């Protein structure tokens, strides 16, 4: 093996990283030694970082939410370079730049197997390859596929952070002309228009229910993508989704149920809003949990995401506003808890 040890970022207590040197396992005939070059920062890692909860494999072999046990590790949005391979590896060779799914990847090096959920990046990739992180791109492809698998009708996107903007950009890039962006921040709504939104709604400044009614000529939206990370964002989505029966009157004409795509991880300790309960009852939308595991082929979505990145349909590199070094990982996680001015998405870069 080229490298025998790796430096790993271990969570040893809530909000506390320790950098620990560990011996790497033997490579084996189908093993791949990966040098980690960058890892995206994702809010879904916050429950582990703060000690609230973790996701583990049960004794029976299924994934489940569990109590956080220290020490632990996070990181699931990697880009790396193959620096050694086992004798029988055929899919990869030394020098390949790869991305995909490598759990607990906040570490300098990692040994994975050839059949892991990773793939080679294009050799002619535009820009800095470290910014082409497949995992969030695959998440967006999963959202786009779900929106478009049925006739989407009138579409709104609630939340104009990086994933919301990428969703808008992707829908526009795939030919959708009418997309309404919804956010509390007018600056983010301006960004949404730059990425293809045809209309905007700002609940901080207007009654979003009445504004949506007026914008859609009394129909409301057929499909709403919710991607704020807050139950109040889900409440907004359910305020503007269409009624199954016109205006919610049970003996009025039936128009079919609207679709709310819930793409967020709701883990902020919020109370369930009563308005949300009422609108779920009155409007009766179908609520889809649109997370990567909903896809029949998760890795294929990642590959398609990289294709869309290369084509400029999903410009993730433009969403990465902040970077930090691996040694500054705690700074990066502070951005996830309290976003600095102008923050959209962060990327951790490794010095080698």
């Amino acid at each position: 093996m080229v490298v025998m040890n790796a430096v790993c970022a271990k969570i040893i207590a809530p909000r506390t990283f320790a950098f620990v040197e560990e011996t790497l396992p033997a490579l084996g005939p189908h093993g791949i030694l990966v040098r980690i070059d960058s890892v995206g920062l994702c809010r879904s890692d916050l429950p582990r970082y703060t000690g609230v909860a973790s996701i583990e494999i049960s004794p029976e072999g299924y994934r489940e939410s569990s109590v956080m046990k220290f020490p632990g590790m996070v990181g699931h949005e990697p880009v790396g370079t193959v620096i050694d391979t086992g004798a029988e590896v055929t899919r990869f060779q030394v020098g390949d730049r790869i991305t995909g799914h490598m759990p607990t990847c906040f570490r300098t090096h990692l040994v994975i197997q050839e059949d892991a959920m990773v793939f080679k990046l294009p050799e002619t990739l535009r820009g800095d390859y470290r910014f082409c992180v497949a995992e969030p791109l695959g998440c967006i492809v999963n959202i786009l596929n779900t929106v478009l698998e049925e006739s989407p009708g009138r579409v709104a996107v609630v939340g104009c952070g990086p994933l919301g903007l990428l969703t808008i950009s992707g829908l526009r890039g795939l030919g959708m002309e009418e997309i309404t962006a919804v956010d509390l921040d007018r600056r983010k709504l301006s960004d949404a228009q730059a990425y293809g939104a045809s209309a905007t709604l700002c609940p901080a400044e207007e009654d979003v229910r009445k504004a949506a009614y007026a914008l859609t000529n009394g129909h409301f939206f057929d499909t709403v993508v919710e991607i704020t990370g807050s139950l109040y964002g889900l409440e907004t989505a359910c305020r503007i989704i269409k009624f199954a029966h016109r205006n919610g009157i049970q003996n009025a004409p039936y128009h079919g149920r609207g679709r709310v795509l819930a793409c967020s991880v709701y883990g902020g300790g919020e109370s369930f809003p009563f308005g949300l309960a009422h609108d779920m009852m009155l409007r009766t939308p179908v609520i889809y949990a649109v997370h990567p595991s909903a896809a029949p082929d998760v890795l294929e979505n990642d590959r398609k995401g990289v294709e869309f990145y290369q084509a400029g349909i999903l410009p993730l590199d433009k969403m990465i506003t902040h970077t930090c070094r691996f040694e500054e990982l705690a700074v990066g996680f502070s951005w996830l808890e309290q976003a600095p001015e102008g923050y959209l998405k962060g990327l951790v870069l490794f010095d080698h």
Side-chain angles (χ1 to χ4, degrees), residues 32 82 85-86 89-94 96-99 112-121 303:
I32 302 168
V82 176
T85 63
V89 170
T90 59
R91 286 183 59 207
F92 301 100
Q93 61 185 12
V94 172
D96 285 349
R97 292 167 174 170
I98 64 173
T99 187
I112 60 175
Q113 295 302 300
E114 183 179 16
D115 61 356
M117 291 181 64
V118 297
F119 60 96
K120 181 181 176 182
L121 286 170
R303 292 181 189 275

Side-chain angles (χ1 to χ4, degrees), residues 18-283:
F19 292 91
V20 180
E21 188 169 304
E22 291 186 344
T23 301
L24 289 165
L27 197 56
H30 292 282
I32 302 168
L33 177 58
V34 181
R35 181 192 72 204
I36 302 297
D37 297 328
S38 65
V39 179
L41 290 163
C42 178
R43 286 181 56 85
S44 67
D45 280 332
L46 277 178
R48 283 180 178 171
Y49 176 64
T50 57
V52 172
S54 182
I55 296 175
E56 306 293 344
I57 303 295
S58 74
E60 294 79 13
Y62 54 80
R63 299 171 74 197
E64 63 179 354
S65 180
S66 66
V67 175
M68 178 64 184
K69 301 179 181 66
F70 300 104
M73 291 188 66
V74 288
H76 60 275
E77 298 186 2
V79 175
T81 301
V82 176
I83 61 173
D84 199 6
T85 63
E88 298 179 22
V89 170
T90 59
R91 286 183 59 207
F92 301 100
Q93 61 185 12
V94 172
D96 285 349
R97 292 167 174 170
I98 64 173
T99 187
H101 296 255
M102 289 182 265
T104 66
C105 58
F106 279 124
R107 57 178 86 212
T108 57
H109 299 83
L110 182 64
V111 172
I112 60 175
Q113 295 302 300
E114 183 179 16
D115 61 356
M117 291 181 64
V118 297
F119 60 96
K120 181 181 176 182
L121 286 170
E123 294 182 3
T124 57
L125 191 69
R126 64 176 180 83
D128 188 336
Y129 74 95
R130 297 175 299 174
F131 286 62
C132 184
V133 185
E135 198 275 345
L137 292 169
C139 290
I140 299 301
V141 170
N142 190 43
I143 294 169
L144 300 178
N145 288 344
T146 307
V147 170
L148 299 172
E149 69 184 5
E150 299 180 16
S151 177
R154 298 172 177 86
V155 175
V157 177
V158 179
C160 296
L163 297 185
L165 293 177
L166 285 172
T167 298
I168 292 168
S169 179
L171 290 171
R172 191 57 183 260
L174 295 176
M176 185 174 290
E177 295 184 356
E178 294 189 9
I179 309 160
T180 298
V182 185
D183 201 281
L184 298 170
D185 188 334
R186 276 289 176 192
R187 291 172 298 179
K188 291 184 177 181
L189 290 174
S190 295
D191 291 340
Q193 288 178 306
Y195 284 103
S198 58
T200 63
L201 298 174
C202 185
E205 300 176 2
E206 58 192 334
D207 184 322
V208 71
R209 186 184 285 114
K210 292 182 182 297
Y213 182 87
L215 182 64
T216 61
N217 298 316
H219 181 87
F220 292 101
F221 292 96
D222 301 280
T223 303
V224 180
V225 179
E226 193 292 309
I227 200 161
T228 67
S230 168
L231 284 174
Y232 295 101
L234 185 60
E235 180 181 33
T236 297
C238 289
R239 280 179 177 170
I240 64 175
I241 195 69
K242 72 177 183 180
F243 291 96
H245 292 266
R246 183 168 179 80
N247 291 334
I249 309 303
Q250 292 175 335
N251 63 350
Y254 183 76
H255 295 307
R257 299 170 71 186
R259 298 186 300 154
V260 173
L261 278 56
C263 312
S264 299
V265 177
Y266 305 104
E270 299 167 319
S271 298
F272 197 90
F274 199 78
L276 172 56
H278 264 169
D279 275 318
M280 289 174 64
M281 176 182 71
L282 295 171
R283 296 173 184 258

